[in-house]
Structures are given as structure tokens and as C-alpha cells.
Amino acid sequence: MVSIAFDEHAEKYDGWFMKNPNVLTSEVLLIKHSLADPGETLSVGCGSGLFELFLKRDHGIEITTGIEPSEAMADIARARGMDVTIAGAERIPFDDASFDTVLMNGIPAYLDDLGAPLTEARRVLRPGGRIVIGDVPASSSYGMLYRMAGMIGTWEDPYLQKVAPRHPYPVEFAGASFTDQQPVDARYRFNSWRATYRYRFDRPSGWQYWVGFTAKVRDAEIRLIQCDTVALDDDLGFVPLLHLAARYRINDRWSFDADFDGLAGGPGRAFDLGLRFNYHIDERWSLGLGYRGLEGGVDNDDVYNFAWFNSAVANLRLNF
């Protein structure tokens, strides 16, 4: 494996990816999808451990063992918590059947022959183990750019800069692609409807309490528009919530209300809190003025979206 070039440019390797976060994110997601539940994993040619760092931080996939021919790259990976042995892929310094998965991310382009590395990878795999290979095909546009940069010895060559895209991968959303070359109009809509069943507890001190549950229907939509490109992601769903409420009767005319609907678990949460002062016109009619806050969202493989809405509320109530 090639080590001299990476010894000289170890820090620039990370720097290029940090300047191109869409490339880094897309490649990390591809590796995450391919690894799934990898068990004990060996990263062959782990480099600076950059991908292993993001796999652990963002996706909970921990890879702590690696081999790397570049001492400078290995030092960075060690600083990130990896146990790295200086070695090439042609001779992996581990016993037979030592790992559940062998990851070879981006190393085929630096090898003249994959035969020995694959034989070694198979040797250190346990029965039923997997070899996961990530690479940029040499015949692709990126492959040719990599080859040109390797021949020239730098990505900073002015001729290469003309053909190398500043932002290689666009942002993908709901089946459409968006670049940073044009402004994006983002629209977010969130509607909710709810029905609550609750039981009241009266206290002689002037307090009333309610406990029950709320059936909430949410209707959310995210819409992105860039020139003629329009992408829409909507979601209509049911959310069961715990309901708690309290009222304190200050005097014959005034009272204070607090109510809460909420639930958290799995990939998301929803919290709805209301605080309100009421003026009682008579036994049936009242006016209210207060605050309502709604916070919640979801984090899954399709979307990450959390929002916090704050609003002033006014109401006219008729009690039957």
C-alpha cells in the first residue's frame, strides 16, 4: 500500500473532506448501510480514522481496530481512540478468525493487486463474517479526478480546480437534488387535531386536577423549492399522549389553568404545554389569555426534524 504520500499530507486528507461535507456524509452513510451490525471489525487502511469517528459519533457503530501503512495517518487515528498497527493490506498482522467484519474503505485504488489483501481478509474473518469494500471506480468521473490529482501530486493545481466541483454531491431530499448555486425556498407546515378524555379530582383548597389521555393526529409537511425543482415530504399520523391538567380558583372571577400533553420514546417526542389566566363572566362564560408551547419531532433514517413553537393564546369558553 502507498504510505509516503499520505505521510506528507495526512492533515490535508481530513481537511479536504471537511471542506466537502456532502461527500463525507454520503460516504459515511453508504458505509453505515453496508456494515449494518458488523460485530468486531477490522478497518484495513483506516487512514486517520475519520470515517470511524463519524460512524461512532453519528450512528453508534464502533470500530476501534485498524491497520495503516502511514505512520502520520495512524497517529491521527490513535488520537481519535483507535488501536492502529502499522501494516499493509497484503499482510494483516492478526490471527485467523479474529474478526466478524473486515472493512476496506477506499483502499483498492491504492493497490496493484487485490488478490493478497482479499486472501488475508478472508483468513482473519470468523465463520459467517463479511468483507465490506468501498471504492471509487477508476472509470468514473471521480476516479479520473483522483488519478489526475495523484499524477499531478496535488488537488490545488489550477487546471484541476477548473474541473473539480467545489461541492461534489448535491443535497438529496425526497428524491430531488439541491445545490448551493441557487437559493432554496423552504416551507414547513404542521397542523394537529386532538381529542382528550380525562378524569377530574376536586380539592377543597381551590385546586382541581385532571388525568387522562389525548388522541392527537398530526399533519406535517416539508417542501423545498429551487427553480423548477420541487420536493415534498409529508406525514400524517396518530400520536397517543398522556394528559395532565390543573386549575386554581383565585377568586369568584379569576382562575389559573395549566395543561400538558406529552410522550417521548423511540425516535421522537411531543410536548404541548399551556398556561392561561381566565376571567369568569358568569357560571358558563369565561375569557382566557395565556401561553402555549409545542415542542417535538422525529429522528429516523428518513428525516431529522425538531421544532419548538411558542404562541400567545386567547379564548372564549362556554361550559355546558
Side-chain angles (χ1 to χ4, degrees), residues 247-276:
R247 169 178 291 178
Y248 179 68
R249 193 68 183 242
I250 301 171
N251 54 41
D252 290 341
R253 290 294 186 184
W254 290 93
S255 66
F256 173 74
D257 287 356
D259 64 87
F260 171 80
D261 293 312
L263 191 66
R269 63 177 182 266
F271 300 126
D272 191 340
L273 173 66
L275 303 172
R276 183 175 61 253

Side-chain angles (χ1 to χ4, degrees), residues 12-269:
K12 291 184 179 180
Y13 174 83
D14 280 9
W16 185 86
F17 275 109
M18 301 314 292
K19 290 178 182 178
N20 296 273
N22 289 343
V23 176
L24 176 61
T25 300
S26 63
E27 292 190 14
V28 169
L29 286 173
L30 177 62
I31 297 170
K32 172 236 178 184
H33 176 76
S34 302
L35 287 174
D37 184 10
E40 190 173 359
T41 303
L42 171 67
S43 180
V44 176
C46 64
S48 66
L50 180 66
F51 286 83
E52 289 77 8
L53 173 69
F54 280 86
L55 285 168
K56 179 181 179 180
R57 191 194 71 178
D58 297 341
H59 306 290
I61 298 176
E62 189 167 4
I63 301 174
T64 59
T65 306
I67 62 172
E68 167 60 40
S70 165
E71 187 69 57
M73 298 285 272
D75 286 342
I76 299 174
R78 291 176 184 130
R80 288 172 169 157
M82 291 191 67
D83 181 9
V84 183
T85 302
I86 300 300
E90 296 85 354
R91 289 191 176 183
I92 298 178
F94 290 97
D95 295 335
D96 296 356
S98 297
F99 299 96
D100 300 300
T101 302
V102 173
L103 171 63
M104 295 180 168
N105 179 32
I107 71 166
Y110 303 103
L111 299 172
D112 294 328
D113 182 9
L114 275 175
L118 289 176
T119 299
E120 280 290 274
R122 184 175 181 180
R123 178 184 63 80
V124 299
L125 277 178
R126 293 169 183 151
R130 296 181 303 148
I131 301 174
V132 176
I133 300 176
D135 191 32
V136 178
S139 59
S140 69
S141 57
Y142 270 103
M144 289 186 282
L145 281 175
Y146 280 22
R147 289 291 184 181
M148 290 172 62
M151 293 172 62
I152 297 172
T154 177
W155 282 95
E156 307 302 325
D157 183 271
Y159 292 101
L160 190 60
Q161 289 290 309
K162 291 181 180 179
V163 295
R166 186 167 64 92
H167 296 282
Y169 295 155
V171 173
E172 303 291 334
F173 178 76
S177 299
F178 297 85
T179 73
D180 66 343
Q181 306 302 313
Q182 297 289 336
V184 176
D185 180 16
R187 303 176 186 179
Y188 179 69
R189 172 177 59 81
F190 184 87
N191 297 321
S192 67
W193 298 268
R194 69 192 66 196
T196 300
Y197 176 84
R198 62 186 189 177
Y199 183 80
R200 187 178 72 187
F201 300 86
D202 292 329
R203 291 292 182 269
S205 61
W207 283 96
Q208 291 178 316
Y209 302 96
W210 289 266
V211 176
F213 66 88
T214 295
K216 177 179 178 179
V217 176
R218 68 173 187 276
D219 179 17
E221 177 186 284
I222 302 173
R223 185 188 298 265
L224 299 184
I225 304 171
Q226 185 179 67
C227 299
D228 295 330
T229 302
V230 179
L232 172 68
D233 187 13
D234 56 7
D235 180 64
L236 179 66
F238 168 75
V239 183
L241 302 174
L242 172 68
H243 175 82
L244 301 172
R247 169 178 291 178
Y248 179 68
R249 193 68 183 242
I250 301 171
N251 54 41
D252 290 341
R253 290 294 186 184
W254 290 93
S255 66
F256 173 74
D257 287 356
D259 64 87
F260 171 80
D261 293 312
L263 191 66
R269 63 177 182 266

